[in-house]
Amino acid sequence: MTTVVNTGLSTGTWAIDPVHSTVGFSVRHLMVSKVRGRFADFSGAITVAADGTPSVSAEVSTASVDTGNEQRDTHVRAADFFDVEKYPTATFTSTGVRRDGDDYVLDGDLTIKGITRPVSFALEFNGVNPGMGQGEVAGFEAVVVLNRRDFGIDIDLPLETGGAVVGDKVTVTLEIEATKQQ
C-alpha cells in the first residue's frame, strides 16, 4: 500500500544536479577508523505526481568510485568489490515515501552487483529555493546503513588479531540538490 505524502515539491520532474550533489559512503577500516569515498558519476530524477507524491530513480557509475587512493580505488573496482566490468552501474528506484516526525523515510529497491534489496533511507527535506534564474531548486539529505555482504561484496580480509580489514556496515550519505525541469 502506497501512502500519499505531499512534500511541498511542485508537480513535475526534478533532475538531480551532480555539480551540487554528493553520493558518498564510509566503511570501517582495520576495525579502528573509517575510509570515506564518493562516486563522481551519477544521475537521477524526482518525479512528483499530481497528488504531490514523489518517486525517485537514480543511477551511479561504480567505476567512478573515489576514496582518495588510486591503489585502493583500483581494488574496489575489481571483482572482489564492485566488479565494474560486469556491473558498471548501481541503481535505486523508490517504492514509497513516508513521514517520520518532521522528516521522511524513502523506501526503495537498491541494486548493486546485480543484487536487488529493499532499503530505507532516512530523508531530510531541506526545502525549495527559487534558484538563480535556472528554475526552482530543492535540497535533500539521506542516509542508509547497508551490509555490503547483502549485495555480494563478501570479500573476507581477516586480521590476525580478529576482525577484518573492511567492515561489513557501509553508511551511504546523499546530499542532493535537484532542479525543476521546465
Side-chain angles (χ1 to χ4, degrees):
M1 183 173 118
T2 302
T3 303
V4 174
V5 175
N6 190 328
T7 60
L9 291 175
S10 60
T11 302
T13 301
W14 297 73
I16 293 174
D17 178 357
V19 174
H20 295 102
S21 301
T22 303
V23 175
F25 63 89
S26 64
V27 62
R28 275 277 172 227
H29 181 250
L30 297 174
M31 307 296 295
V32 296
S33 64
K34 289 186 179 179
V35 168
R36 298 181 191 283
R38 67 182 194 88
F39 294 92
D41 185 8
F42 56 90
S43 62
I46 303 160
T47 304
V48 181
D51 67 2
T53 302
S55 63
V56 179
S57 62
E59 184 172 287
V60 173
S61 167
T62 53
S64 72
V65 66
D66 179 4
T67 65
N69 179 287
E70 188 56 42
Q71 181 180 357
R72 178 175 45 225
D73 294 347
T74 298
H75 189 200
V76 171
R77 290 180 189 113
D80 286 346
F81 289 91
F82 286 124
D83 196 359
V84 302
E85 294 280 326
K86 190 171 180 182
Y87 304 102
T89 59
T91 61
F92 176 80
T93 304
S94 68
T95 57
V97 177
R98 51 193 161 95
R99 280 222 177 259
D100 184 22
D102 290 336
D103 293 317
Y104 300 89
V105 174
L106 174 63
D107 296 312
D109 294 323
L110 178 64
T111 302
I112 300 172
K113 282 186 79 171
I115 299 171
T116 302
R117 299 272 189 252
V119 298
S120 296
F121 284 90
L123 176 68
E124 180 180 344
F125 175 46
N126 297 327
V128 177
N129 184 285
M132 297 176 62
Q134 304 298 318
E136 292 177 284
V137 176
F140 308 87
E141 292 180 35
V143 176
V144 66
V145 177
L146 308 172
N147 185 321
R148 65 180 174 84
R149 293 176 186 276
D150 291 344
F151 294 93
I153 303 172
D154 52 11
I155 183 173
D156 278 320
L157 298 170
L159 294 169
E160 258 181 47
T161 56
V165 173
V166 179
D168 289 345
K169 291 182 183 178
V170 180
T171 301
V172 177
T173 304
L174 309 175
E175 296 180 30
I176 301 298
E177 190 172 291
T179 304
K180 176 75 182 282
Q181 302 302 285
Q182 304 301 331

